[in-house]
Amino acid sequence: MDLNLFGIGILLGVYVGVVPVYLGLFSLPLLQRLRREWLDFLVCLTLGIMLFLFVDVAGEALEAADKLPAAIAVPADGQASVPALDKLLYDLFGAGSGTILGPLFMLTGFALGVLGLVEFGRRLDRLREAGGSWGGLLNPATLSPQMQLALLVSLGIGLHNLGEGLAVGVAYGSQSFALATVLIFGFAVHNVSEGIAIVSPVSRSQVDLRTLALLGMLAGGPTVIGTLIGIYIFSNALSIIFFAIAAGAILYVVIEITASLGDRFRNSHLNYLGIMAGFTVMYLTSLLVLL
Amino acid sequence: MNEVRPGFALAAVVALLAFMVITPGWFLPQPATASGSLLAGHLGEHDAPESDCGPVSDDPIKRVTLVAQATVWEVAPGESFPAWSFNGVIPGPVICLREGDTLVVTLENRLPTIASFHAHGLAREPSSDGTFLTESYAVPGGSYTYTLQADSTSVGTWAYHDAVAELDEGAFIDGLSLPESGEGIERGMFGAIIVYGEDELDADGLPVGYDHELVLIEAEFEAEVTAGPVYMTINGRIAPATPHYQFQAGETVRFRIINVGPNANHNLWVSGLDWRQTQSGEHVDSVLFGALEFGDFTLEVGEPRETRYVCSIEGHEAAGMHGLFSVIE
């Protein structure tokens, strides 16, 4: 294994995902100074950010599914090399199978994402009702409904960043790549908002450093994993599944956030402004991501 | 409980920002930048002809590896756009062949879309055509190997480019895909192929009859690609980063000129000098090429002068398609 390329892969994930998320997380003291009335606005900001991420990653999944027919149409013979999993699909199902497999992977991944987060949310509920902690990292006092929401948001963002890391790993994971600083800057600005989205629900709670570290790793760490996957074992079929799982997971988080707001959501124009602000910030910063 | 105190958060933010700003240059390869106009041509005293190909090997099988990849390409200092390229440079590497050579190109694809190597002027089977309907492309994360022949009709100047990246439905007419289709060529995936005839190289593999031989590729990058201005480029740059051609008085220079388009015509003048079409000997004031036209033109640079070259098509000079041309003692 080329240790240099491995190291670059980790660094890419750190620059693109981990550091920007933590930059956003450390906005917590600033958010804690806002008046209590702004809490719902912040939760709606998170909702707007997650809505954008859903649109973004669902679009990626659909696009990847559209491209699968071309990606597995070429047999891996002496002339062509094809990612291993795509070759397996070609061998098992033939050249024309992409038209069916693309949507199949898309829907399967989507279902996995939704149901996976449903099960995770259910386990968190049971943990909170039992007054337990999670792996020793959270204590009963901090596993509030708001913290539970922050955990779900982190997980959803982490799955989104897994797909983002995949794209970075494919694009830049070769020996001859050169990454312009402007690209890192684009990713950083875009992903800072994700950190803010995570801590917004807990801006009225006590959050300790270990918890913040955990939330950051949940959200940003998958970028490193995705980058390494993109460099070493990328597969067009796998990318559909990753993006679709993220889309399903984020949809669940969007529904959970909306449910947590309840009737308070409808009674305030400020809340709708929060949604629009979150969506707009993510959209505008996504234009800086020149990938 | 270790709460997140404002002072600690601020320190953490400053440290992380410093890490993001300072360290990428230490650890990650940086792309080549357009640091002003580079001299091209006569850079110092030389006994032998100088060419962009250098000495061409007499190995009858030439192997080239190209990596289709995303890059941020700087057309001039401070002006860049998200591009696709072969090996991170625009234009891609020059491929230099002798008549009778076999060219083996391995294309590795690091783009999020299919990509191909489509060459003009070389003989090839459909499986090495690099077009969509022949399924001769590299999938994302994969590779494809093309085998082509430089036969007697291949002698001259040609272009290679991608023909399938982000192919859309408009590229199909009556079930046939247009060979020059997709976004790859529009985003920077192109380069030059030079095939030398049997009597065109000396014993050292250098061109006979010229003091200098250079490749000049004209390309436009449209607003949809740059998300902003239109760039009319010479060898991937706009003024003031276009090549500053410099030659010694009395030298004979051969330009291998390619217009890769994808759409615009270009009409290249060197103020005060006439071009001579190399094969026919015809004298022309300017080289007028449509998209995907290529050819060889010779300049007798004559007496010392400071002049310039420019594309005279309306708007192209303003879009960057000009540069300096010097003839020194």
Side-chain angles (χ1 to χ4, degrees):
Chain A
M1 174 184 279
D2 183 338
L3 288 179
N4 190 46
L5 186 61
F6 185 75
I8 286 176
I10 292 177
L11 272 174
L12 280 174
V14 168
Y15 284 125
V16 163
V18 178
V19 172
V21 164
Y22 276 105
L23 280 171
L25 290 178
F26 281 117
S27 66
L28 179 62
L30 205 65
L31 299 180
Q32 286 172 333
R33 288 171 180 272
L34 295 175
R35 292 202 307 265
R36 183 167 290 277
E37 301 85 77
W38 286 88
L39 172 61
D40 281 352
F41 173 86
L42 290 176
V43 173
C44 287
L45 187 79
T46 297
L47 182 56
I49 289 170
M50 298 306 284
L51 274 170
F52 176 87
L53 290 180
F54 172 74
V55 169
D56 183 37
V57 80
E60 295 280 358
L62 287 169
E63 196 175 336
D66 275 346
K67 288 179 180 174
L68 189 66
I72 64 170
V74 178
D77 51 19
Q79 268 186 290
S81 81
V82 172
L85 182 59
D86 297 338
K87 179 183 184 311
L88 184 63
L89 292 174
Y90 181 93
D91 290 342
L92 286 174
F93 302 110
S97 57
T99 1
I100 296 175
L101 291 177
L104 183 65
F105 289 149
M106 164 86 193
L107 294 171
T108 304
F110 189 74
L112 280 174
V114 174
L115 296 174
L117 266 282
V118 166
E119 180 58 26
F120 183 74
R122 205 175 284 165
R123 284 175 190 258
L124 277 181
D125 279 337
R126 285 202 289 267
L127 197 65
R128 185 162 49 82
E129 284 158 12
S133 67
W134 189 41
L137 290 174
L138 298 169
N139 63 52
T142 56
L143 194 53
S144 59
Q146 292 75 25
M147 179 56 68
Q148 188 167 330
L149 205 56
L151 265 174
L152 288 175
V153 170
S154 295
L155 203 54
I157 288 175
L159 289 169
H160 168 268
N161 285 346
L162 185 68
E164 200 167 78
L166 197 72
V168 169
V170 171
Y172 297 107
S174 76
Q175 295 288 12
S176 63
F177 93 103
L179 185 68
T181 307
V182 66
L183 266 159
I184 295 177
F185 173 75
F187 275 112
V189 171
H190 184 55
N191 290 342
V192 161
S193 317
E194 294 174 355
I196 296 173
I198 294 167
V199 290
S200 290
V202 291
S203 56
R204 280 283 158 262
S205 310
Q206 285 181 322
V207 181
D208 65 5
L209 275 175
R210 273 204 317 177
T211 305
L212 206 68
L214 168 69
L215 292 174
M217 269 301 125
L218 267 178
T223 319
V224 176
I225 299 170
T227 305
L228 293 174
I229 292 174
I231 290 173
Y232 290 110
I233 55 170
F234 172 80
S235 147
N236 294 280
L238 203 59
S239 67
I240 302 172
I241 295 170
F242 281 176
F243 288 130
I245 288 176
I250 292 173
L251 180 65
Y252 172 81
V253 175
V254 164
I255 293 169
E256 282 295 305
I257 296 173
T258 310
S260 76
L261 286 166
D263 277 340
R264 298 193 326 271
F265 178 63
R266 288 199 202 90
N267 295 335
S268 167
H269 288 115
L270 196 60
N271 290 346
Y272 281 100
L273 281 176
I275 294 173
M276 282 166 46
F279 193 95
T280 303
V281 162
M282 289 301 278
Y283 171 66
L284 291 177
T285 55
S286 74
L287 299 177
L288 298 173
V289 177
L290 304 173
L291 188 63
Chain B
M1 171 188 287
N2 286 330
E3 278 188 33
V4 182
R5 298 186 188 282
F8 178 85
L10 184 61
V13 166
V14 170
L16 289 172
L17 280 173
F19 175 77
M20 290 284 286
V21 169
I22 297 170
T23 62
W26 296 351
F27 300 123
L28 301 178
Q30 299 296 302
T33 55
S35 54
S37 181
L38 293 178
L39 274 179
H42 184 89
L43 304 180
E45 294 302 317
H46 56 99
D47 297 326
E50 293 183 328
S51 83
D52 283 347
C53 279
V56 180
S57 150
D58 55 10
D59 184 345
I61 301 176
K62 305 286 198 302
R63 298 182 189 277
V64 174
T65 298
L66 298 175
V67 180
Q69 59 186 138
T71 189
V72 177
W73 183 251
E74 199 171 41
V75 293
E79 284 202 67
S80 59
F81 70 96
W84 292 342
S85 68
F86 290 118
N87 297 9
V89 291
I90 297 174
V94 181
I95 296 176
C96 304
L97 307 170
R98 295 175 182 248
E99 181 183 347
D101 279 354
T102 297
L103 173 66
V104 179
V105 174
T106 300
L107 175 67
E108 295 176 13
N109 186 7
R110 310 298 303 193
L111 292 174
T113 177
I114 55 176
S116 74
F117 172 85
H118 176 72
H120 294 253
L122 304 182
R124 58 205 181 264
E125 296 292 321
S127 61
S128 289
D129 191 37
T131 50
F132 186 76
L133 283 181
T134 56
E135 294 179 350
S136 49
Y137 51 75
V139 302
S143 69
Y144 196 92
T145 301
Y146 301 86
T147 304
L148 306 97
Q149 304 291 333
D151 59 25
S152 58
T153 64
S154 303
V155 174
T157 304
W158 308 98
Y160 69 84
H161 57 86
D162 162 80
V164 300
E166 292 290 0
L167 197 70
D168 64 19
E169 291 171 5
F172 291 88
I173 295 178
D174 294 333
L176 297 176
S177 69
L178 303 177
E180 284 73 53
S181 48
E183 292 184 17
I185 196 172
E186 298 172 4
R187 288 180 170 269
M189 295 174 72
F190 51 79
I193 298 174
I194 299 174
V195 181
Y196 292 95
E198 287 174 353
D199 55 353
E200 289 189 312
L201 295 174
D202 62 20
D204 297 322
L206 294 168
V208 172
Y210 303 95
D211 299 293
H212 299 277
E213 184 180 76
L214 301 105
V215 172
L216 189 155
I217 299 183
E218 303 162 327
E220 91 244 31
F221 296 105
E222 296 172 338
E224 299 83 55
V225 168
T226 69
V230 173
Y231 297 128
M232 296 293 179
T233 65
I234 299 283
N235 288 353
R237 311 287 193 192
I238 62 171
T242 46
H244 177 173
Y245 292 112
Q246 175 177 283
F247 305 102
Q248 200 169 34
E251 285 188 323
T252 301
V253 181
R254 181 179 193 174
F255 276 89
R256 305 268 190 172
I257 301 178
I258 295 170
N259 177 2
V260 293
N263 297 306
N265 297 339
H266 298 296
N267 193 27
L268 193 65
W269 295 74
V270 179
S271 185
L273 292 176
D274 289 345
W275 299 92
R276 177 167 53 84
Q277 207 285 322
T278 305
Q279 283 79 23
S280 68
E282 179 190 1
H283 280 262
V284 292
D285 294 330
S286 62
V287 177
L288 176 62
F289 275 162
L292 286 171
E293 281 195 73
F294 5 92
D296 304 344
F297 287 81
T298 304
L299 284 177
E300 310 287 349
V301 301
E303 298 296 314
R305 73 186 73 210
E306 291 295 329
T307 184
R308 59 197 293 268
Y309 61 93
V310 62
C311 172
S312 66
I313 302 289
E314 185 178 350
H316 289 199
E317 183 179 357
M321 207 163 202
H322 60 95
L324 299 174
F325 193 105
S326 304
V327 183
I328 60 173
E329 292 279 359

